Structures are given as structure tokens and as C-alpha cells.
Amino acid sequence: MESAYKQGGFLTAFSKWTAFIICLYFCVIGLKIFHHDQMHKITTTNTASLQKASLITQMHNEMLFITRSQLQIMQASDEKQVRSQLWKLSGLVSDYLIHYHQLEQIIDDRDEKVLEQFKTGFSRWYEFNKDLLNYANVVADSGFINTLNMIDLSFRKLKKEPEESWVFISQLR
């Protein structure tokens, strides 16, 4: 009887340890999955933050270059310089709009203020664009007038139809 009791005690202890090891195994797997998910979230957040920082830096630099081009246009001494600066300005604006759309796609609620600041800065340039369009009409450069009109149209569609705005921006390039 004693050997049956020892055998029953052994089976009880064996089954308890087996259940404990199985529970421990599932806990380790659960913790490993949780850790992997948290690391993935952190990596994704970090990547998005780096993309935002890169785009913000690029857009800031592009706005500085746009401003510099505006000043060079105002200080140009002949029509050839004006035309070359206008084409340069057109490229800078299209790059800026592309980066704006890219930033708009990866932005979250906390970053809307930054996006609004870039939109405000571009709106100021847009007002200058209207003056340039009048100048281009005086110079009668049809290619440049077309480019400025496309910029004007893409800016107006920026709020209403972002996808169509991409088409116009890509035509500028």
C-alpha cells in the first residue's frame, strides 16, 4: 500500500510540476510576444519621428531658399537672371509642396500646429506668387506663366483635393 501511495504521490508531484512548466512556458511565450510588440511600436514611432524631423528640416531649408530666390528676383539686373531665378523658384516650390504632402500623411494630432505653421509660411509665399504672376504677364513668358498658374491651382486644391494637387505638383517637376 505504501508503494501505491508513493507512486500516487509521485504522479501527483509529477503532474503538478508538468502543469507548472507548461504554465511557465506559456507565460514566457506571452512575455516574449508582448516584448516583441512593444519593440515594434517603439521602432515604428522612432521611424515616424525621424521622418517628420527630416521633412521639417527639409521644408525649413526650402522655405529659406524660396525666400532667398525671391530676394534674388527682386535684385536681378536683367531679364535673363529673373527667368533663371523664377525657374529655380518653381523647382523649390514643387519640392516644398511634395514634402508638405508627405508630412501631412505621417502627421498626428500633436504635430498639427507645426503643419499649420508651414502652411502659413507657404501662404505668404503664395501672395508673392500672385505678384510674380503679374510680373510674368508683363514679361510675357508663357512657360513661366503656365508654371505659376499650376502652382496657383495646386495651392488652391491643397485643401480641397490633395490627390489632384499631387498631379499638378508632379507636372511642375
Side-chain angles (χ1 to χ4, degrees):
M1 175 94 161
E2 196 174 306
S3 78
Y5 179 72
K6 284 183 180 178
Q7 189 176 9
F10 173 74
L11 287 175
T12 304
F14 180 75
S15 59
K16 284 181 182 179
W17 278 104
T18 303
F20 175 72
I21 289 173
I22 290 172
C23 287
L24 186 63
Y25 176 74
F26 284 124
C27 287
V28 168
I29 287 176
L31 286 173
K32 192 173 184 178
I33 291 170
F34 177 75
H35 178 265
H36 178 35
D37 287 344
Q38 292 300 316
M39 289 300 292
H40 181 70
K41 286 179 185 176
I42 290 171
T43 303
T44 303
T45 303
N46 187 32
T47 302
S49 295
L50 289 174
Q51 285 177 332
K52 288 177 198 176
S54 174
L55 284 172
I56 287 171
T57 301
Q58 281 180 312
M59 290 174 68
H60 178 72
N61 288 336
E62 287 164 354
M63 190 50 73
L64 290 174
F65 289 137
I66 286 171
T67 303
R68 184 177 298 145
S69 289
Q70 290 172 334
L71 291 173
Q72 289 173 346
I73 289 169
M74 289 180 199
Q75 296 173 351
S77 59
D78 64 357
E79 187 177 327
K80 184 178 179 184
Q81 284 180 336
V82 170
R83 285 181 189 226
S84 69
Q85 287 301 320
L86 289 174
W87 287 115
K88 180 181 172 184
L89 184 61
S90 174
L92 289 170
V93 169
S94 62
D95 289 343
Y96 184 87
L97 290 173
I98 288 170
H99 293 135
Y100 179 85
H101 281 296
Q102 290 172 343
L103 183 62
E104 190 175 43
Q105 291 173 355
I106 61 173
I107 201 168
D108 56 14
D109 294 338
R110 297 173 295 176
D111 300 322
E112 285 187 21
K113 191 173 185 178
V114 171
L115 193 65
E116 189 61 36
Q117 288 174 346
F118 279 111
K119 195 172 204 171
T120 301
F122 190 77
S123 294
R124 289 180 185 152
W125 180 86
Y126 176 67
E127 292 302 319
F128 182 74
N129 181 58
K130 289 179 184 177
D131 295 336
L132 285 178
L133 187 57
N134 291 334
Y135 175 77
N137 283 323
V138 171
V139 174
D141 184 352
S142 61
F144 182 66
I145 292 170
N146 186 34
T147 300
L148 289 176
N149 282 326
M150 287 171 47
I151 291 170
D152 182 48
L153 188 58
S154 66
F155 184 74
R156 281 187 273 140
K157 290 188 180 268
L158 189 65
K159 291 181 183 175
K160 297 177 186 172
E161 302 161 1
E163 294 303 320
E164 284 188 37
S165 183
W166 273 101
V167 173
F168 290 114
I169 293 168
S170 65
Q171 288 176 356
L172 291 175
R173 293 302 304 155

